[in-house]
Amino acid sequence: SATDMSGALRRLRISGPGWRTLLTIGGVFDAESPTFAPGSMAGTIVAHSPVRYDVISEDCVDAYTPPSYAPDLFGFWCEAAERLAKAR
């Protein structure tokens, strides 16, 4: 889901058992690290745009990105999730 948080950021919520794997596609950090747990945040670049991740729970993470980039990032992750589902 996507929620406009302000004029500066848009929140994209990713939930489900495969969210860590999804973040490894296009991200430049170790989403599988056990230290990347609830209460942790990380920053990365995905397709030349900044993204901040906030781990909400074991099966949920919020991604914060500029509003102008949110639709593209959301589409990117939807397509990546479909590819991952087909590969199972």
Side-chain angles (χ1 to χ4, degrees):
S1 66
T3 306
D4 190 4
M5 299 303 292
S6 71
L9 294 174
R10 172 101 14 115
R11 179 181 65 199
L12 303 174
R13 176 158 287 177
I14 302 169
S15 60
W19 70 264
R20 289 179 184 273
T21 302
L22 187 61
L23 294 187
T24 65
I25 300 171
V28 199
F29 77 105
D30 183 9
E32 300 293 341
S33 172
T35 61
F36 189 54
S40 298
M41 292 192 79
T44 189
I45 302 293
V46 178
H48 306 287
S49 185
V51 181
R52 299 278 313 161
Y53 297 118
D54 180 11
V55 183
I56 302 302
S57 68
E58 290 299 322
D59 67 347
C60 182
V61 65
D62 284 344
Y64 295 91
T65 192
S68 61
Y69 185 64
D72 292 330
L73 184 58
F74 185 76
F76 171 80
W77 279 329
C78 286
E79 290 174 10
E82 287 177 16
R83 288 194 311 271
L84 288 171
K86 288 179 184 177
R88 290 183 181 187

